[in-house]
Amino acid sequence: MTDRAPVDLYVMDLPAEADETSQPLVVIHGLLGSADNWRSHLKVWQRKRRVVAVDLRNHGRSPHAEGMSYRAMSQDVLAALDKLGIEQAHVLGHSMGGKVAITLARQAPQRCLSLMVADIAPVAYQHGHDDVFAALEQVREGQPTNRREADALLAEHVDSRPTRLFLATNLVRDEQGVMGVRVGLDEIKRGYEDIIGKPDGNVPFEGATLVLRGADSHYVSDDMLPALREVLPRARLVTLKNAGHWLHADQPEAFQQAIDAFIAAQS
């Protein structure tokens, strides 16, 4: 089966405020996230360099399309960089976006000045999003007209308020005032086996790599490190204290500092 043409992704392209000679940073969000989730970080990094954040296919403002393979998603990102005239960049991905970033780095290493992977390993994971999908389905069927109604519908499947607030970033109001789900939920569910699978690629990425993990997260456990080293042999592992899977939200300053220091060390 051949890959379809790349999806024309929505891109948030922020010009550097200071040093125009710095190489750009590309940011790739995780499952059910979007570029919008990264705005506060993007503004900080924009002080030093051009920052590009994408909405992956079936996420945010990007089109909906069948197929959630990491090869297809990385090709989408590369096509976006081509369109922006970016030949090389530092690439940062969180969770599912980390697997997209790993795939991009393995398939087009010449485009990747350095790789930063936030709280994900290049391994297959177990199913873990059934409640989240059910919550979004509940909203889609319930057709709430305000945030309180939407939260009540989400709460029928998701107890965690922080998780519900995150999911609510995917809700948009239509012309009739009904709040709907903007992600391609059906396409994501059909592609879920690919999402929880390994990133694509047959060779290691030999470039400079930073792997950040949350001390309170199970996504990059010690027993996964041998598999991680096979794919990312030059990976430097940093563990952020008092941080879970959304480590960039739990410890924003420490996260930013780790990224800044790593990129600075590559120049």
Side-chain angles (χ1 to χ4, degrees), residues 142-180:
Q143 298 188 323
T145 56
N146 58 58
R147 292 276 171 184
R148 183 177 297 176
E149 290 177 9
D151 186 66
L153 291 167
L154 292 170
E156 293 184 24
H157 294 278
V158 176
D159 292 332
S160 166
R161 179 157 173 77
T163 301
R164 296 201 306 272
L165 289 172
F166 170 69
L167 293 177
T169 64
N170 292 294
L171 306 183
V172 291
R173 195 184 303 276
D174 67 15
E175 293 177 359
Q176 286 72 44
V178 174
M179 303 198 74

Side-chain angles (χ1 to χ4, degrees), residues 119 213-217 240-248 250-251:
D119 213 56
R213 64 176 178 177
D216 302 329
S217 171
L240 297 186
K241 296 179 181 178
N242 301 315
H245 184 54
W246 291 327
L247 64 177
H248 55 295
D250 294 337
Q251 294 293 334

Side-chain angles (χ1 to χ4, degrees), residues 102 117 119-123 125 204-205 209-213 219-237:
I102 292 170
V117 179
D119 213 56
I120 203 75
V123 302
Y125 290 79
F205 174 63
T209 306
L210 173 68
V211 176
L212 284 164
R213 64 176 178 177
Y219 275 79
V220 188
S221 57
D222 287 346
D223 61 356
M224 297 175 183
L225 297 183
L228 188 149
R229 300 285 182 197
E230 284 185 18
V231 175
L232 306 171
R234 290 184 58 193
R236 178 185 171 214
L237 181 65

